[in-house]
Amino acid sequence: MKFFVDTANLEQIEKAQSLGILDGVTTNPSLMAKEGVKGKEQIFNHYLAICKLVDGPVSAEVFSNDYDGMIEEGETLHALCPEKITIKLPCTENGIKAVKYFASKGYATNCTLVFTLGQALLAAKAGATFVSPFIGRIDDIGGDGIDLIRSIVNMYRTYGFKTQVLAASIRHTNHIVRCLEVGADVATCPLNAIVGLLKHPLTESGLATFNKAAEQMK
Ligand code: G3P
């Protein structure tokens, strides 16, 4: 399973990259706004800065809801860094049409805000590179986000779709572990959820014991 970090914060991206396990980055308008970037120039420069830091796909989301706006923005985003930018489009009628358009040009796309198997089917049929089901937001309303990941993975395997299942809206370390169990291709996570995978009290107490023994042998 690949690891993307779900943030537009350059320090966090750098930290994730320095761990040596980072495969890509996802952003969205809320995450970009959090970084205080405003206006086209700052936004584009921010994406360029992210692309410089990471050796893998960088999802950049369109702000438009209409088809023509999505196409114009997607083309501009793609041109920023064609080998890394993945155009992120919402799973709406216009979004699906835009995914199809960009897929036919060979551009990478990420179909986002996916909450049902049916939406995931349309994203795959349109040729999306990635589909982003939002686990945490499904859990928030009493559903089972991991169950949706499992169903999409099974559906794509059964019908031979190439679209990668990118589990999004991951809130904690256990979500990552559960994504592994159900076969997600990618998990996009906050950095602290990734670092949380390292935490175990027996690792900590075992290390303390080994450190003591190492001291005695000095
Ligand atoms: O990848 C999508 C993600 O950023 C949304 O997360 O926590 O706002 O549901 P959240």
Side-chain angles (χ1 to χ4, degrees), residues 130-162:
F130 301 102
V131 67
S132 289
F134 276 31
I135 301 179
R137 293 192 193 183
I138 292 176
D139 290 359
D140 284 346
I141 57 161
D144 186 343
I146 294 294
D147 226 37
L148 178 63
I149 301 292
R150 183 189 293 109
S151 304
I152 298 172
V153 167
N154 285 341
M155 187 245 296
Y156 285 0
R157 285 198 187 138
T158 303
Y159 293 98
F161 288 118
K162 300 271 180 292

Coordinates of all heavy atoms in Angstrom, one line a residue, residues 130-162:
F130 N -7.1 7.7 -9.8 CA -7.4 7.4 -8.4 C -8.9 7.7 -8.1 O -9.5 8.6 -8.6 CB -6.6 8.2 -7.4 CG -5.1 8.1 -7.6 CD1 -4.4 9.1 -8.2 CD2 -4.4 7.0 -7.0 CE1 -3.0 9.0 -8.4 CE2 -3.0 6.9 -7.1 CZ -2.3 7.9 -7.8
V131 N -9.5 6.9 -7.1 CA -10.8 7.3 -6.6 C -10.6 7.5 -5.1 O -9.8 6.8 -4.4 CB -11.8 6.2 -6.9 CG1 -11.5 4.9 -6.1 CG2 -13.2 6.7 -6.5
S132 N -11.2 8.6 -4.5 CA -11.0 8.9 -3.1 C -12.3 8.8 -2.3 O -13.0 9.7 -2.2 CB -10.5 10.4 -3.0 OG -9.2 10.5 -3.4
P133 N -12.5 7.6 -1.7 CA -13.6 7.4 -0.8 C -13.2 8.0 0.6 O -12.1 7.8 1.0 CB -13.8 5.9 -0.7 CG -12.8 5.3 -1.6 CD -11.8 6.3 -1.9
F134 N -14.1 8.8 1.2 CA -13.8 9.5 2.5 C -14.2 8.7 3.7 O -15.4 8.8 4.1 CB -14.5 10.8 2.5 CG -13.8 12.0 1.7 CD1 -13.0 11.7 0.6 CD2 -14.0 13.3 2.1 CE1 -12.4 12.7 0.0 CE2 -13.3 14.3 1.5 CZ -12.5 14.0 0.4
I135 N -13.3 7.9 4.2 CA -13.6 7.0 5.3 C -14.2 7.7 6.6 O -15.2 7.4 7.1 CB -12.4 6.3 5.8 CG1 -11.8 5.5 4.6 CG2 -12.6 5.4 6.9 CD1 -10.5 4.7 5.1
G136 N -13.4 8.7 7.0 CA -13.7 9.4 8.3 C -15.1 10.0 8.2 O -15.9 10.0 9.2
R137 N -15.4 10.7 7.1 CA -16.7 11.4 7.0 C -17.9 10.4 7.0 O -19.0 10.7 7.4 CB -16.7 12.3 5.8 CG -15.7 13.4 6.0 CD -15.9 14.5 5.0 NE -14.8 15.4 5.0 CZ -14.6 16.5 4.3 NH1 -15.6 16.9 3.4 NH2 -13.5 17.2 4.4
I138 N -17.6 9.2 6.5 CA -18.7 8.1 6.5 C -18.9 7.7 8.0 O -20.0 7.6 8.5 CB -18.3 7.0 5.6 CG1 -18.4 7.4 4.1 CG2 -19.3 5.8 5.8 CD1 -18.0 6.4 3.1
D139 N -17.7 7.5 8.7 CA -17.8 7.1 10.1 C -18.5 8.1 10.9 O -19.3 7.8 11.8 CB -16.4 6.8 10.7 CG -15.7 5.6 10.1 OD1 -16.3 4.9 9.3 OD2 -14.6 5.3 10.5
D140 N -18.2 9.4 10.6 CA -18.8 10.5 11.3 C -20.4 10.5 11.3 O -21.0 10.9 12.3 CB -18.5 11.9 10.6 CG -17.1 12.3 10.9 OD1 -16.4 11.7 11.8 OD2 -16.6 13.2 10.2
I141 N -21.0 9.9 10.3 CA -22.4 9.9 10.3 C -23.0 8.5 10.5 O -24.1 8.1 10.1 CB -23.0 10.5 8.9 CG1 -22.5 9.7 7.7 CG2 -22.7 12.0 8.8 CD1 -23.3 9.9 6.5
G142 N -22.1 7.7 11.2 CA -22.6 6.4 11.7 C -22.5 5.3 10.7 O -22.9 4.2 10.9
G143 N -21.8 5.5 9.5 CA -21.6 4.5 8.6 C -20.2 3.7 8.8 O -19.6 4.0 9.9
D144 N -19.8 2.9 7.9 CA -18.6 2.2 8.0 C -17.7 2.4 6.8 O -17.9 1.8 5.8 CB -18.9 0.7 8.2 CG -17.6 -0.2 8.5 OD1 -16.5 0.3 8.3 OD2 -17.8 -1.3 8.9
G145 N -16.8 3.4 7.0 CA -16.0 3.8 5.8 C -15.1 2.7 5.3 O -14.9 2.6 4.1
I146 N -14.6 1.8 6.2 CA -13.7 0.7 5.8 C -14.5 -0.3 4.9 O -14.0 -0.8 3.9 CB -13.1 0.0 7.0 CG1 -12.1 1.0 7.7 CG2 -12.4 -1.3 6.6 CD1 -10.9 1.4 7.0
D147 N -15.8 -0.4 5.2 CA -16.6 -1.3 4.5 C -16.7 -0.9 3.0 O -16.7 -1.7 2.1 CB -18.0 -1.3 5.1 CG -18.5 -2.7 5.2 OD1 -17.7 -3.6 5.5 OD2 -19.8 -2.9 5.0
L148 N -16.8 0.5 2.8 CA -16.9 1.0 1.5 C -15.6 0.7 0.7 O -15.6 0.4 -0.4 CB -17.2 2.5 1.5 CG -17.2 3.2 0.1 CD1 -18.3 2.6 -0.7 CD2 -17.3 4.7 0.3
I149 N -14.4 0.9 1.4 CA -13.1 0.6 0.8 C -13.1 -0.8 0.3 O -12.7 -1.1 -0.8 CB -11.9 0.9 1.7 CG1 -11.9 2.3 2.3 CG2 -10.6 0.5 1.1 CD1 -11.6 3.4 1.2
R150 N -13.5 -1.7 1.2 CA -13.5 -3.2 0.9 C -14.4 -3.4 -0.4 O -14.0 -4.1 -1.3 CB -14.1 -4.0 2.1 CG -14.1 -5.5 1.8 CD -14.8 -6.3 2.9 NE -14.1 -6.2 4.2 CZ -14.6 -5.6 5.3 NH1 -15.7 -4.9 5.2 NH2 -13.9 -5.6 6.4
S151 N -15.6 -2.8 -0.4 CA -16.5 -3.1 -1.5 C -15.9 -2.5 -2.8 O -16.1 -3.1 -3.9 CB -17.9 -2.3 -1.3 OG -18.4 -2.8 -0.1
I152 N -15.3 -1.3 -2.8 CA -14.7 -0.8 -4.0 C -13.6 -1.6 -4.5 O -13.5 -1.9 -5.7 CB -14.3 0.7 -3.8 CG1 -15.5 1.6 -3.4 CG2 -13.6 1.3 -5.1 CD1 -15.1 3.0 -3.0
V153 N -12.7 -2.0 -3.6 CA -11.6 -2.9 -4.0 C -12.1 -4.2 -4.6 O -11.6 -4.6 -5.7 CB -10.7 -3.2 -2.7 CG1 -9.7 -4.4 -3.0 CG2 -9.9 -2.0 -2.2
N154 N -13.1 -4.8 -4.0 CA -13.7 -6.0 -4.6 C -14.3 -5.8 -6.0 O -14.1 -6.5 -6.9 CB -14.8 -6.6 -3.7 CG -14.2 -7.3 -2.5 OD1 -13.0 -7.6 -2.5 ND2 -15.0 -7.4 -1.5
M155 N -15.0 -4.7 -6.1 CA -15.7 -4.3 -7.4 C -14.6 -4.1 -8.5 O -14.7 -4.6 -9.6 CB -16.5 -3.1 -7.2 CG -17.4 -2.7 -8.4 SD -16.9 -1.2 -9.2 CE -17.3 0.0 -8.0
Y156 N -13.5 -3.3 -8.2 CA -12.5 -3.1 -9.2 C -11.8 -4.3 -9.6 O -11.5 -4.5 -10.8 CB -11.5 -2.0 -8.7 CG -12.0 -0.6 -8.6 CD1 -13.3 -0.3 -9.0 CD2 -11.2 0.4 -8.2 CE1 -13.8 1.0 -9.0 CE2 -11.6 1.8 -8.2 CZ -12.9 2.1 -8.6 OH -13.4 3.4 -8.5
R157 N -11.6 -5.2 -8.6 CA -10.9 -6.5 -8.9 C -11.8 -7.4 -9.8 O -11.3 -8.0 -10.7 CB -10.5 -7.2 -7.6 CG -9.3 -6.6 -7.0 CD -8.5 -7.4 -6.0 NE -7.5 -6.6 -5.4 CZ -7.3 -6.6 -4.1 NH1 -7.9 -7.4 -3.3 NH2 -6.3 -5.8 -3.6
T158 N -13.0 -7.5 -9.4 CA -14.0 -8.3 -10.1 C -14.1 -7.9 -11.6 O -14.1 -8.8 -12.5 CB -15.4 -8.3 -9.5 OG1 -15.2 -8.6 -8.1 CG2 -16.4 -9.2 -10.2
Y159 N -14.2 -6.6 -11.8 CA -14.4 -6.1 -13.2 C -13.1 -5.6 -13.9 O -13.2 -5.2 -15.0 CB -15.4 -5.0 -13.2 CG -16.8 -5.5 -12.8 CD1 -17.3 -5.4 -11.5 CD2 -17.6 -6.2 -13.7 CE1 -18.5 -5.9 -11.1 CE2 -18.8 -6.8 -13.3 CZ -19.3 -6.6 -12.0 OH -20.5 -7.1 -11.7
G160 N -12.0 -5.7 -13.2 CA -10.7 -5.4 -13.9 C -10.5 -3.9 -14.1 O -9.7 -3.6 -15.0
F161 N -11.1 -3.1 -13.3 CA -10.8 -1.6 -13.4 C -9.4 -1.3 -12.9 O -8.9 -1.9 -11.9 CB -11.8 -0.8 -12.6 CG -13.2 -0.8 -13.2 CD1 -14.3 -1.3 -12.5 CD2 -13.5 -0.3 -14.4 CE1 -15.5 -1.3 -13.0 CE2 -14.7 -0.2 -15.0 CZ -15.8 -0.8 -14.2
K162 N -8.7 -0.4 -13.6 CA -7.4 -0.1 -13.3 C -7.3 1.1 -12.2 O -6.2 1.3 -11.7 CB -6.6 0.4 -14.5 CG -6.5 -0.6 -15.6 CD -5.3 -1.5 -15.4 CE -5.1 -2.5 -16.5 NZ -6.1 -3.6 -16.5

